Amino acid sequence: MATVEELREMAKTLGLWNTAMGRIDITDENVSNMEYLYHIFNSEIEMRKAKKKDTIRHESHLPDKTFDHSKITKGLQWQLQRAEQIDFRNATENFVIVGDCATGKTSLTSEIGGYALAKMAKVQYISQEDLLLAIRNQSPRWKKILKSDIIIIDDVFYIAPTDAELTTFYKAITFLSETHSLVIVTNRKLSEWKDMGADRHLAETLRKRLMANAQLIHLK
């Protein structure tokens, strides 16, 4: 009769790592062979699904924050319910989230990003500063952004950009918005964007381009 160690070695050869590592009990002899094989295979599948979810969550760089629903308005509740239904793999939908510091903007982006991940969409969370750096260096992070379905850009205009940075950001937003969903997060009032660079026209054009096809969420 085969030993537990031998069975685990066989499981390792077959790539059944949860069985091989002892996370799945292989000593239960109170069920039929068919039932037991179903139990093992189903457990492997569910564990792999959970691991995959953890992996794509980690790769998305979404903040580990929970949004407080206790004080939201009915309007925001409706927007979130609608966002939860969007299949970001096959549809584009833009959001602009505006609010002062400590109003829950970042945790709200984590909530929306979580909706997308639940439907197996590819998500990337990044600050404006890191986005500009990724573009400048053509880094692996930029390549991940290009392959994503929804891009969440935080801290937009938190610091006034240089004219060169504003131009780069405008070009990036224009390009990405053609095939990706965008979530723009800022603590600047939209009316202030035109004052964030020497090129007031470009900043205002950026604002109008984003708001033409975006839902506005204002947190207080």
Side-chain angles (χ1 to χ4, degrees), residues 23 46-47 50 83 85 105 117 121 128 133 177 195 199:
R23 300 187 188 102
E46 292 304 316
M47 287 183 179
Q85 301 304 315
K105 299 188 302 297
L117 289 177
Q128 181 185 27
L133 183 63
S177 64
D195 301 319
D199 193 337

Side-chain angles (χ1 to χ4, degrees), residues 54-62 123-125 141 144:
D54 289 341
T55 298
I56 62 175
R57 174 88 188 193
H58 175 74
E59 291 179 347
S60 73
H61 298 273
L62 276 176
V123 179
Q124 280 293 303
Y125 170 93
R141 185 74 190 281
K144 284 186 177 181

Side-chain angles (χ1 to χ4, degrees), residues 124 126 130-148 151 171-173 175-176:
Q124 280 293 303
I126 193 168
D130 288 341
L131 174 65
L132 292 171
L133 183 63
I135 294 171
R136 183 164 65 248
N137 296 334
Q138 292 294 291
S139 67
R141 185 74 190 281
W142 173 241
K143 294 178 181 178
K144 284 186 177 181
I145 289 171
L146 292 177
K147 293 179 180 179
S148 64
I151 306 158
K171 289 180 178 178
I173 292 298
F175 172 69
L176 293 171

Side-chain angles (χ1 to χ4, degrees), residues 55-128:
T55 298
I56 62 175
R57 174 88 188 193
H58 175 74
E59 291 179 347
S60 73
H61 298 273
L62 276 176
D64 186 17
K65 294 187 176 183
T66 302
F67 183 65
D68 183 4
H69 286 251
S70 63
K71 297 180 181 179
I72 65 174
T73 64
K74 290 184 178 180
L76 179 53
Q77 183 178 16
W78 178 85
Q79 285 178 298
L80 291 180
Q81 289 173 343
R82 186 174 180 278
E84 191 172 8
Q85 301 304 315
I86 299 171
D87 181 0
F88 287 100
R89 295 171 303 170
N90 301 303
T92 56
E93 190 80 27
N94 299 330
F95 295 85
V96 176
I97 302 175
V98 183
D100 292 333
C101 295
T103 53
K105 299 188 302 297
T106 299
S107 58
L108 180 58
T109 64
S110 187
E111 178 103 355
I112 294 173
Y115 296 155
L117 289 177
K119 295 183 181 297
M120 304 308 293
K122 296 178 181 178
V123 179
Q124 280 293 303
Y125 170 93
I126 193 168
S127 68
Q128 181 185 27

